[in-house]
C-alpha cells in the first residue's frame, strides 16, 4: 500500500492562497491568511508569499482561476531559477481530490489545504496513544476520498482480449485500479480497528470519570492559543504544557482544584479554530466528552485579538454542534495586558469601531451583553486573578449545593488526574 504522508514541513518555504468573495471580504481574507500563516509556522514552514483572487466562488476545477494559477506557477519557476525553491503551496480551504490533482499537475510542487495542514499539526502534537489514535483516524477519513489522486501515476490499462470491444470483452482493469481497491479495503479495515480502539478508550475514560467522586466538573473551552493552559496552571498550580503555538494542547488534562475548602475538577481541552475539519471533531469525540459532561464551561477569549468576537462565535457554534450550547458558562476575557485601542481625535468624524473602545468601554459593553457574566484577566501577568477565583468559587459552590445537597466538601482524591 502506498504510504500516506500529509506533509513534511521542516523549514520549507510556503505560498499561501486565499479567495476574496461576497461572503468573505478582503479584510476577512487577510485575517484568515494570517491565521493560515500561523498554522504553517506551527507546522515548521516559512511563508514567503501570499496570493489572493477576487471571485464569486472557488473554481470546482482549480480553486482559483487559470490566470491566477499561471501567476503562481511563474513565481514558483522564478524561485527555482534563483535556487530558492518553493516547498509547498497551501490553500485556505479544503480542496477536493479533483482540485488537488489539477493544481498539482499545474504547479508541480506539494499542495496542501487548510485541513491537511491542521491534521499535520495534530499529528505532530499527539503524544498519548489516545490522541495518536484519534489523529490517525482523522487522517484516514481525509485520505479515503482522495485515494484516486495518490494513484494517478498508474493509469487504467486495457489490452489483450479485453481491448477488442466485443460483447465478452468488458476490458481489463489495470494495476492502478486494482491497487486503488486494495488500498481502500486496507484503509477501511484500519479505520474499523481504530474506531474499536477508540470505543475501548472511551469506555476507560467513562470509568475514570465515574470514579472521580461527587465534584463539580469545570471545562476550559475556547479558540486555540487563547491561554487556556496558562489559566489551568494558575488555578491548579500544576505544569500543563503551554506555548504560543496553535493546538499546544491535544489531550484533555484534568486536575483537582481547591479554592478555600471547595474542591472541583478542572479540564483543559483542545482549542477550536475556524474551519475545523469535521473529521477531527468526529475523531476527538472521546476527548470532547469532557466538555459534554462538564457542569460549567469557562469560555476563554483572547481580548487582544483583533477579531475576538468572531472567535467567540466559532467556539459557540462548535459547542452547539457538540450539544453543549445551553451549558452554564462564564466568559473569561484573557490577555487584557495586551489589549490595544486607537484613541480617536476630537475632529475625527468617522464612525467609531470596536478598535476605538478603551478596555473600560469594552468591559461595560460585554458586561451588558452577557448580563455581567464575564471576567477580565491576564493569566500571564496574574491580573484580576483574585476576583476570578472568587467568582469561580461562588459559582461552583452554588452548583455543588444544588447537585450534591448532602455532600460536604471534604474529599481525598489524588491531586493529579490524567
Amino acid at each position: 500500500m502506498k504510504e500516506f504522508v500529509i506533509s513534511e514541513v521542516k523549514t520549507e518555504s510556503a505560498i499561501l492562497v486565499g479567495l476574496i468573495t461576497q461572503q468573505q471580504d478582503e479584510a476577512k481574507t487577510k485575517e484568515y491568511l494570517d491565521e493560515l500563516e500561523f498554522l504553517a509556522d506551527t507546522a515548521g514552514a516559512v511563508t514567503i508569499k501570499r496570493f489572493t483572487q477576487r471571485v464569486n466562488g472557488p473554481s470546482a476545477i482549480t480553486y482559483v482561476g487559470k490566470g491566477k494559477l499561471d501567476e503562481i506557477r511563474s513565481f514558483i519557476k522564478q524561485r527555482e531559477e534563483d535556487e530558492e525553491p518553493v516547498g509547498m503551496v497551501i490553500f485556505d480551504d479544503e480542496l477536493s481530490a479533483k482540485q488537488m490533482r489539477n493544481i498539482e499537475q499545474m504547479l508541480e510542487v506539494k499542495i496542501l489545504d487548510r485541513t491537511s495542514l491542521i491534521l499535520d499539526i495534530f499529528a505532530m502534537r499527539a503524544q498519548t496513544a489516545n490522541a495518536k489514535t484519534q489523529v490517525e483516524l482523522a487522517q484516514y477519513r481525509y485520505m479515503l476520498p482522495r485515494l484516486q489522486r495518490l494513484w494517478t501515476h498508474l493509469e487504467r490499462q486495457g489490452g489483450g482480449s479485453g481491448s477488442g470491444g466485443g460483447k465478452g470483452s468488458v476490458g481489463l482493469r489495470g494495476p492502478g485500479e486494482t491497487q486503488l481497491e486494495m488500498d481502500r479495503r486496507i484503509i477501511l479495515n484500519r479505520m474499523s480497528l481504530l474506531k474499536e480502539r477508540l470505543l475501548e478508550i472511551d469506555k476507560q475514560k467513562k470509568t475514570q470519570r465515574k470514579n472521580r467522586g461527587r465534584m463539580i466538573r469545570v471545562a476550559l473551552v475556547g479558540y486555540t492559543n487563547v491561554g487556556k493552559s496558562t489559566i489551568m496552571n494558575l488555578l491548579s498550580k500544576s505544569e500543563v504544557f503551554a506555548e504560543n503555538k496553535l493546538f499546544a494542547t491535544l489531550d484533555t488534562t484534568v486536575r483537582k482544584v481547591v479554592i478555600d475548602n471547595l474542591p472541583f475538577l478542572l479540564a483543559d481541552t483542545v482549542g477550536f479554530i475556524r474551519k475545523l475539519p469535521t473529521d477531527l471533531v468526529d475523531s476527538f469525540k472521546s476527548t470532547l466528552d469532557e466538555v459534554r459532561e462538564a457542569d460549567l464551561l469557562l469560555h476563554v477569549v483572547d481580548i487582544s485579538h483583533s477579531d475576538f468576537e468572531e472567535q467567540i462565535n466559532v467556539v459557540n457554534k462548535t459547542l452547539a454542534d457538540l450539544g453543549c450550547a445551553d451549558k452554564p458558562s462564564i466568559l473569561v476575557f484573557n490577555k487584557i495586558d495586551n489589549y490595544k485601542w486607537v484613541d480617536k481625535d476630537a475632529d475625527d468624524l468617522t464612525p467609531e469601531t470596536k478598535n476605538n473602545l478603551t478596555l473600560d468601554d469594552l468591559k461595560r459593553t460585554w458586561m451588558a451583553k452577557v448580563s455581567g457574566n464575564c471576567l477580565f484577566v491576564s493569566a500571564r501577568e496574574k491580573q484580576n486573578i483574585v476576583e476570578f477565583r472568587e467568582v469561580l468559587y461562588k459559582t461552583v459552590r452554588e452548583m455543588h449545593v444544588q447537585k450534591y445537597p448532602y455532600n460536604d466538601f471534604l474529599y481525598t482524591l489524588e491531586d493529579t488526574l490524567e
Side-chain angles (χ1 to χ4, degrees), residues 7-17 32-50 88-92 112-114 116-121 124-125 245-247 273:
S7 63
E8 297 174 357
V9 282
K10 300 292 186 181
T11 63
E12 288 185 280
S13 59
I15 293 172
L16 309 183
V17 182
Y32 284 4
L33 289 179
D34 286 344
E35 186 171 85
L36 190 65
E37 182 171 346
F38 199 179
L39 284 166
D41 176 65
T42 299
V46 178
T47 300
I48 58 171
K49 181 75 172 177
R50 296 182 181 188
M88 71 195 76
V89 180
I90 308 174
F91 291 77
D92 191 41
L112 297 178
D113 59 15
R114 188 182 182 94
S116 60
L117 184 60
I118 291 174
L119 285 170
D120 186 58
I121 295 169
M124 291 166 54
R125 296 290 190 182
K245 293 284 186 181
L246 300 180
F247 303 115
I273 196 170

Side-chain angles (χ1 to χ4, degrees), residues 32-220:
Y32 284 4
L33 289 179
D34 286 344
E35 186 171 85
L36 190 65
E37 182 171 346
F38 199 179
L39 284 166
D41 176 65
T42 299
V46 178
T47 300
I48 58 171
K49 181 75 172 177
R50 296 182 181 188
F51 287 91
T52 60
Q53 185 176 32
R54 193 180 299 273
V55 291
N56 292 329
S59 163
I61 300 173
T62 53
Y63 184 74
V64 294
K66 186 179 182 303
K68 181 60 64 173
L69 213 55
D70 286 337
E71 184 183 340
I72 296 171
R73 182 172 60 180
S74 296
F75 179 82
I76 292 172
K77 295 297 183 186
Q78 184 61 53
R79 294 280 299 190
E80 287 178 353
E81 292 175 4
D82 297 338
E83 297 185 350
E84 295 178 338
V86 173
M88 71 195 76
V89 180
I90 308 174
F91 291 77
D92 191 41
D93 290 292
E94 185 169 321
L95 299 174
S96 68
K98 179 180 180 181
Q99 288 172 324
M100 196 168 284
R101 181 172 62 250
N102 292 333
I103 294 169
E104 280 182 338
Q105 289 174 351
M106 284 279 292
L107 302 185
E108 299 179 332
V109 294
K110 180 164 45 181
I111 305 299
L112 297 178
D113 59 15
R114 188 182 182 94
T115 299
S116 60
L117 184 60
I118 291 174
L119 285 170
D120 186 58
I121 295 169
F122 269 57
M124 291 166 54
R125 296 290 190 182
Q127 298 295 324
T128 66
N130 185 25
K132 289 177 181 177
T133 303
Q134 292 173 120
V135 171
E136 186 179 353
L137 179 59
Q139 287 177 325
Y140 282 131
R141 281 174 165 160
Y142 173 84
M143 183 173 85
L144 195 59
R146 295 167 175 79
L147 274 180
Q148 184 72 48
R149 181 181 64 89
L150 299 176
W151 288 103
T152 51
H153 64 291
L154 290 177
E155 297 296 333
R156 185 171 174 138
Q157 297 178 7
S161 62
S163 61
K167 181 177 179 182
S169 55
V170 177
L172 297 178
R173 289 179 295 181
E177 185 170 353
T178 303
Q179 185 65 56
L180 179 66
E181 292 173 347
M182 188 183 303
D183 277 4
R184 190 183 302 278
R185 185 168 61 252
I186 292 171
I187 288 175
L188 288 172
N189 289 339
R190 179 65 178 167
M191 287 174 65
S192 179
L193 180 65
L194 291 171
K195 288 176 183 177
E196 291 177 7
R197 189 177 298 170
L198 285 176
L199 284 175
E200 287 299 317
I201 293 172
D202 200 26
K203 289 179 183 177
Q204 294 171 9
K205 285 185 172 290
K206 284 181 179 177
T207 302
Q208 290 175 0
R209 285 192 284 266
K210 286 179 181 177
N211 294 334
R212 287 175 186 167
R214 294 189 167 190
M215 286 194 287
I216 295 298
R217 298 175 185 175
V218 181
L220 291 160

Side-chain angles (χ1 to χ4, degrees), residues 29 43 53 62 85 91 138 153 198-199 215 218 229 240 260 262 269 311 316 328 348 367 399 407:
T29 298
Q53 185 176 32
T62 53
F91 291 77
H153 64 291
L198 285 176
L199 284 175
M215 286 194 287
V218 181
S229 296
V240 175
D260 292 340
L262 174 63
T269 62
Q311 292 187 350
N316 286 339
D348 187 350
M367 285 287 188
M399 287 183 162
N407 179 242

